[in-house]
Amino acid sequence: MSGTLLNEQHTGTGFQYNENQLMIADMIKKFGKDHIQPQLMEWDEAQTFPVEVFKKLGELGLMGVLVPTEYGGSGFSYTEYVTVISEIGRICGSIGLSVAAHNSLCTGHILHFGNEEQKRKYLPKLATAEWIGAWGLTETGTGSDAGGMATTAVKDGDYWVINGSKNFITHAISGSVAVVIVRTGAKGDSHGMSAFVIEKGTAGFKSGKKENKLGMRASETAELIFDNCRVHKSQLLGNEGEGFIQAMKVLDGGRISIASLSLGIAKGAFDAALKYSKERTQFGKSISQFQGISFKLADMATEIEAAELLTLKAADLKNRGEKVTKAGAFAKYFASEVCVKVSNEAVQIFGGYGYTKDFPVEKFYRDSKLCTIGEGTSEIQKLVISRELLK
Ligand SMILES: Cc1cc2nc3c(=O)[nH]c(=O)nc-3n(C[C@H](O)[C@H](O)[C@H](O)COP(=O)(O)OP(=O)(O)OC[C@H]3O[C@@H](n4cnc5c(N)ncnc54)[C@H](O)[C@@H]3O)c2cc1C
């Protein structure tokens, strides 16, 4: 089998998808046609989080992409992971965001920092989507400045008592388990935070307000509330005081996730705009024959190609166990900005029809904006990159 990176002749390069990537891309295309495409606008309108879709994706091994097979996962590398998230995002950003959050945040945190017992307990359930996972770092008062968090855990014998709340948490309502990072030490101390894995049903742990969002409306975003929630010390991930450092490492991988999602949304918007530009006629010819439109397509394709290369480079470094702080930030920053730009241009190419819900580009446009915000805004990516440059 062979194929170009983008798996599309119009934007192909000399790089090739590997066998697994081709198989995954094909599988997702078929799955999307049958199980996502027919209902995605309905879910978007109603803000429905379609749990059954994630269960089915679990059966395909796409909810534990990076989890080793011994823990019930697919055991793929980051290269295949990029394909999974981008191909799902190409169909629906919301489903892509949820698959990304589940795989790289909650599951990824337990995979990298859980002890053997925790991994055996949680990973098989997460990898098969028997359980959906959530990950809570952000609070109402602290987003970019996550280290300033106010939610606390105080030791009480063999238990920790957690009080506070987490905001904007993907799967806060439907998740069966959450990894949360809370304060266990002094404010301002990067070693003053710890990570816990907490199951739904634990007394004092509940979900709160669900956000009504611009885009990514089928990906559930809500609050997690802790009211004297007692968590046994066996639920601590790694050692006390390591939570924030762990979270930053998880986000290093998470940036590859959001870069992949950005890439997928950009490709989806581009695919639709390219097709429409050949079909729509004005002044007696297809609009693609106007240089004003064909040059837009050229810019969009070039930027998608560059975003893909940066994303795959970060994935490759990650596969080799190298530090990806800068490469991941490059990919996330660039790909997410490209995603917004390409989706915007796609709406423009559709003209008035692009502004309606009868065509797919308005949704790509709305979904795209999350990519420059979630898991570190573009400004924070520039902060990360400049810090690395100036070290
Ligand atoms: C749909 C969705 C899903 C999410 N899922 C999760 C999740 O599962 N788990 C989770 O923990 N969080 C989640 N988040 C939260 C997300 O990570 C934060 O929204 C993001 O990190 C930004 O934080 P903030 O919203 O508080 O913005 P703020 O930090 O208040 O930023 C506001 C503006 O100020 C800028 N800014 C802030 N600091 C600086 C600086 N030092 N220099 C320059 N500019 C700066 C920002 O770039 C931004 O433009 C989600 C958010 C959304 C919208």
Side-chain angles (χ1 to χ4, degrees):
M1 279 203 231
S2 70
T4 63
L5 265 187
L6 291 164
N7 214 17
E8 294 285 351
Q9 282 172 4
H10 53 264
T11 47
T13 69
F15 293 89
Q16 302 286 305
Y17 267 138
N18 67 35
E19 293 267 329
N20 285 334
Q21 287 175 288
L22 283 171
M23 180 268 292
I24 290 165
D26 194 45
M27 181 170 81
I28 292 172
K29 276 195 180 86
K30 285 194 189 113
F31 182 87
K33 217 170 179 185
D34 295 341
H35 301 289
I36 302 177
Q37 209 87 52
Q39 279 174 283
L40 62 83
M41 283 313 287
E42 208 179 289
W43 299 328
D44 183 79
E45 291 278 335
Q47 286 213 115
T48 306
F49 177 65
V51 178
E52 67 287 354
V53 169
F54 299 94
K55 303 277 177 196
K56 288 195 187 99
L57 286 168
E59 287 166 21
L60 297 179
L62 302 182
M63 296 296 272
V65 182
L66 300 160
V67 174
T69 50
E70 58 175 304
Y71 299 112
S74 295
F76 283 132
S77 78
Y78 269 83
T79 307
E80 284 84 17
Y81 183 64
V82 171
T83 306
V84 170
I85 304 301
S86 61
E87 288 300 325
I88 297 176
R90 194 171 191 164
I91 303 162
C92 175
S94 293
I95 307 295
L97 175 63
S98 277
V99 173
H102 174 93
N103 272 281
S104 84
L105 299 180
C106 179
T107 309
H109 201 130
I110 297 170
L111 175 63
H112 292 294
F113 302 107
N115 58 32
E116 195 51 33
E117 198 183 326
Q118 291 164 336
K119 287 198 235 182
R120 296 244 167 249
K121 185 169 178 191
Y122 295 111
L123 292 179
K125 286 192 167 73
L126 288 164
T128 52
E130 183 186 336
W131 283 10
I132 305 269
W135 188 80
L137 177 69
T138 307
E139 298 185 1
T140 42
T142 52
S144 302
D145 181 19
M149 66 181 63
T151 300
T152 54
V154 177
K155 222 183 235 168
D156 180 19
D158 281 348
Y159 287 81
W160 289 87
V161 183
I162 306 181
N163 278 293
S165 64
K166 294 282 167 183
N167 196 32
F168 285 139
I169 307 307
T170 304
H171 314 147
I173 298 167
S174 302
S176 299
V177 66
V179 170
V180 291
I181 298 94
V182 298
R183 177 158 303 291
T184 49
K187 237 184 185 170
D189 178 5
S190 62
H191 290 92
M193 289 157 273
S194 305
F196 293 89
V197 52
I198 310 177
E199 291 176 29
K200 194 178 202 170
T202 304
F205 176 46
K206 60 176 185 181
S207 47
K209 181 188 158 225
K210 179 173 167 172
E211 301 297 341
N212 183 3
K213 308 193 297 293
L214 166 75
M216 301 293 194
R217 289 171 58 82
S219 177
E220 176 186 278
T221 316
E223 196 184 8
L224 284 179
I225 300 168
F226 303 89
D227 182 10
N228 283 319
C229 172
R230 288 173 71 79
V231 176
H232 192 260
K233 64 180 184 186
S234 60
Q235 300 303 99
L236 180 70
L237 289 164
N239 296 316
E240 181 185 340
E242 289 176 353
F244 189 68
I245 320 282
Q246 291 174 1
M248 292 304 108
K249 287 187 180 152
V250 168
L251 286 177
D252 271 357
R255 290 188 186 120
I256 300 175
S257 246
I258 303 297
S260 308
L261 179 62
S262 306
L263 191 60
I265 294 172
K267 284 183 185 181
F270 177 82
D271 293 342
L274 180 75
K275 183 167 177 281
Y276 185 80
S277 73
K278 291 190 270 190
E279 293 166 357
R280 175 71 172 168
T281 56
Q282 287 293 283
F283 301 99
K285 46 173 124 163
S286 73
I287 60 168
S288 62
Q289 290 178 54
F290 301 121
Q291 198 179 64
I293 298 294
S294 63
F295 275 21
K296 272 191 203 303
L297 292 167
D299 282 339
M300 290 155 82
T302 306
E303 286 176 331
I304 290 172
E305 194 80 3
E308 180 145 48
L309 290 174
L310 282 177
T311 307
L312 286 169
K313 181 180 174 187
D316 183 54
L317 289 172
K318 188 86 182 154
N319 289 342
R320 288 191 270 122
E322 291 186 29
K323 198 170 168 236
V324 292
T325 307
K326 190 171 69 177
F330 276 158
K332 202 269 178 186
Y333 170 43
F334 188 78
S336 63
E337 294 289 340
V338 163
C339 173
V340 172
K341 205 168 149 191
V342 166
S343 309
N344 180 32
E345 289 292 53
V347 173
Q348 193 66 22
I349 289 171
F350 270 78
Y353 297 97
Y355 206 65
T356 71
K357 289 185 186 285
D358 294 335
F359 292 89
V361 286
E362 67 83 33
K363 181 174 178 297
F364 284 121
Y365 180 62
R366 286 185 288 109
D367 289 347
S368 73
K369 193 58 200 153
L370 182 272
C371 298
T372 65
I373 296 169
E375 296 190 34
T377 62
S378 286
E379 291 76 16
I380 294 305
Q381 302 312 313
K382 286 196 255 192
L383 201 77
V384 171
I385 294 165
S386 56
R387 271 190 195 143
E388 289 291 313
L389 294 175
L390 296 167
K391 256 182 183 169

